[in-house]
């Protein structure tokens, strides 16, 4: 089922349970090569999500700002974006161009993500594709400028969102996780993948 909210295309239940399990295995392989870390915001606050990336660049934050980095903090290159993720990207965006980065966020019980725009990329005509796995997350969709009325939707395991077109710079965030709502991840929590064309 596809739901459209403020220009975001939300494909509810797009991935069946078998595809979800396979994707988790792919995420684990990425995290084995590029371990998850807790980034610091430029303001010095630790982010509540843990993250890593796959692709030619990885999203990174510290006192120096938000940016894409060519290396994992360990100094190693980021692993390749799994073929399963590239397939999903091609299927739902219809693009031949591959994403440069697949950011992997892990939300534990108390993790959240404040309202923000994805704007560290060079060209906003490319969409961002987001995949949710594991526990449900309350996703809030705002406006093209900060503030104003918002709409929220629970993103559940297997849901995929395409944020593109006029909605590419729409503010969005995750208010909270419904911890333990899914049995996909044995220790609970939520994984979100976001694929981006960076440059
Ligand atoms: C993000 O905006 O980077 C993550 C969105 C989500 O976790 O659903
Ligand atoms: Fe985002």
């Amino acid at each position: 089922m596809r739901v459209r909210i403020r220009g975001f295309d939300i494909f509810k239940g797009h991935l069946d349970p078998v595809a979800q399990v396979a994707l988790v295995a792919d995420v684990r392989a990425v995290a084995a090569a590029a371990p998850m870390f807790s980034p610091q915001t430029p303001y010095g606050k630790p982010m509540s999500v843990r993250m890593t990336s796959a692709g030619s660049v990885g999203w990174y934050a510290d006192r120096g700002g938000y940016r894409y980095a060519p290396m994992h903090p360990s100094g190693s290159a980021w692993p390749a974006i799994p073929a399963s993720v590239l397939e999903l990207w091609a299927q739902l965006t219809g693009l031949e161009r591959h994403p440069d980065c697949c950011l992997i966020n892990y939300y534990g019980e108390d993790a959240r993500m404040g309202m923000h725009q994805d704007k560290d990329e060079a060209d906003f005509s490319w969409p961002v594709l987001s995949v949710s796995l594991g526990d449900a997350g309350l996703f809030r969709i705002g406006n093209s400028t900060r503030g104003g009325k918002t709409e929220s939707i629970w993103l559940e395991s297997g849901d995929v969102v395409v944020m593109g077109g006029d909605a590419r710079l729409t503010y969005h965030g995750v208010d909270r996780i419904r911890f333990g709502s899914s049995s996909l991840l044995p220790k609970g929590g939520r994984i979100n993948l976001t694929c981006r064309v960076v440059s």
Side-chain angles (χ1 to χ4, degrees), residues 113 116-118 163 172 194 196:
M113 178 142 340
H116 67 276
Q117 295 170 298
D118 290 0
M163 305 181 267
H172 57 278
T194 43
R196 301 109 184 274

Side-chain angles (χ1 to χ4, degrees), residues 54-56 81 85-86 89-90 96-102 127 194-198:
S56 55
I81 300 177
V85 175
L86 295 178
W89 167 274
E96 275 175 38
R97 170 74 148 89
H98 283 176
D100 302 304
C101 172
C102 174
T194 43
C195 296
R196 301 109 184 274
V197 173
V198 173

Side-chain angles (χ1 to χ4, degrees), residues 103 105 107 113 116 118 130 132 139 155 163 172-174 190 192 194 196:
L103 171 65
N105 285 141
Y107 295 76
M113 178 142 340
H116 67 276
D118 290 0
S130 140
S132 294
F139 186 62
L155 293 182
M163 305 181 267
H172 57 278
V174 176
R190 172 174 185 262
N192 177 264
T194 43
R196 301 109 184 274

Side-chain angles (χ1 to χ4, degrees), residues 107-198:
Y107 295 76
E109 188 158 9
D110 298 316
R112 55 186 296 280
M113 178 142 340
M115 294 293 278
H116 67 276
Q117 295 170 298
D118 290 0
K119 58 171 187 191
D120 300 317
E121 301 75 28
D123 181 349
F124 304 129
S125 61
W126 301 104
V128 171
L129 175 116
S130 140
V131 185
S132 294
L133 295 166
D135 289 339
L138 186 57
F139 186 62
R140 185 190 291 269
I141 305 169
N143 303 285
S144 58
T145 53
R146 195 172 274 290
K149 284 192 177 163
T150 65
E151 285 175 69
S152 295
I153 182 169
W154 283 98
L155 293 182
E156 295 163 296
S157 199
D159 292 354
V160 183
V161 184
V162 178
M163 305 181 267
D166 289 345
R168 177 60 181 76
L169 288 173
T170 293
Y171 275 82
H172 57 278
V174 176
D175 287 351
R176 60 195 160 90
I177 300 305
R178 197 181 265 157
F179 195 77
S181 56
S182 160
S183 56
L184 184 69
L185 307 175
K187 293 180 186 159
R190 172 174 185 262
I191 292 170
N192 177 264
L193 313 179
T194 43
C195 296
R196 301 109 184 274
V197 173
V198 173

